[in-house]
Amino acid sequence: MAARWWRRAVRGLCGAALFLSQLSVLSGRAGSLMTTKLSQPQSTLAKSLTSTSTNAPYFKAFESTEIPPYVTNCPSNGLCSRLPPDCMTCNTNYSCIYGKMATFDCKVKPHVHCVDENNHEQENFTINMTCQFCWQLATSDYVCTNSTNCMTVSCPRQRYNATCTVRDHIHCLGNRVFPKMLYCNWTGGYKWSTALALSITLGGFGADRFYLGQWREGLGKLFSFGGLGIWTLIDVLLIGVGYVGPADGSLYI
């Protein structure tokens, strides 16, 4: 009787273990199926986000199109032949003769709109200009930087390195910004007539030298009574011919 009871107990335990193992297998399959179903929308969402992100740079590039800065200096719907040089691109005419008028084929730059004499919009046109480089233009056709560090009253007269820019309405060949050596021509506000008048009237007391900013020479004339008159006469001649100028090296006005 006891042996039969142990056999039944062992069979019951084996059956329970088999049932539990089958139940765990079924629950694992169900979990994998649920994971697969949940992962599918996420992958679809990832694909949609990826496709959207690949198209984003195209729209950004299209929206970020900016107008070039030179357009602000180009009059809209004006005559193409009167546009500033920065608004057009011209082909160099190598057959032109220096100093003579020549015709150049030009084209407007992007975002620039101009018309011809009949008020028709055009892109390609011709202009007439003198065959010469920009650095060969007259001094009135360009603007240069000024220097206040060089001496204008010296022998020989000093020069300085200037950077010159061609005016907007002038057409020429080559670079429109170029370096050039110029004579010192700045002024500190001293008047030649005032210096000469002081030298004639109060030169014996050094008033002319004091006015020009030359304090040492002024004190020398003051305590020597104008070098007993000799220094006064010499200064009248030197200031009269412009040899003696302001102490800062500038020109008279």
Side-chain angles (χ1 to χ4, degrees), residues 6 14 23 25 42 46 52-53 96 107 111 116 135 163 172-173 193 200-201 214 220 234 238 241-242 253:
W6 281 108
C14 290
L23 182 62
V25 170
Q42 293 179 356
T52 305
S53 61
C96 66
K107 182 179 180 180
H111 302 283
D116 56 9
W135 59 269
T163 301
C172 56
L173 302 176
S193 59
I200 295 173
T201 58
Q214 301 175 6
I234 294 175
L238 295 179
V241 299
I253 59 175

Side-chain angles (χ1 to χ4, degrees), residues 96-97 99-104 128-131:
C96 66
I97 301 175
K100 302 294 184 180
M101 295 297 296
T103 302
F104 293 82
N128 297 322
M129 68 178 180
T130 306
C131 181

Side-chain angles (χ1 to χ4, degrees), residues 69-111:
Y70 60 80
V71 177
T72 57
N73 299 325
C74 304
S76 180
N77 296 327
L79 290 176
C80 295
S81 58
R82 295 185 180 179
L83 286 175
D86 293 337
C87 305
M88 65 181 74
T89 303
C90 298
N91 297 326
T92 304
N93 187 355
Y94 294 100
S95 61
C96 66
I97 301 175
Y98 172 73
K100 302 294 184 180
M101 295 297 296
T103 302
F104 293 82
D105 297 327
C106 301
K107 182 179 180 180
V108 295
K109 291 183 178 181
H111 302 283

Side-chain angles (χ1 to χ4, degrees), residues 2-12:
R4 292 180 180 178
W5 183 83
W6 281 108
R7 289 178 182 176
R8 291 179 181 178
V10 170
R11 289 179 182 177

Side-chain angles (χ1 to χ4, degrees), residues 4-45:
R4 292 180 180 178
W5 183 83
W6 281 108
R7 289 178 182 176
R8 291 179 181 178
V10 170
R11 289 179 182 177
L13 292 174
C14 290
L18 180 61
F19 175 77
L20 292 175
S21 64
Q22 291 179 353
L23 182 62
S24 62
V25 170
L26 291 176
S27 62
R29 289 182 180 180
S32 63
L33 290 176
M34 291 295 294
T35 304
T36 304
K37 290 181 180 180
L38 291 175
S39 62
Q40 287 180 354
Q42 293 179 356
S43 61
T44 306
L45 179 60

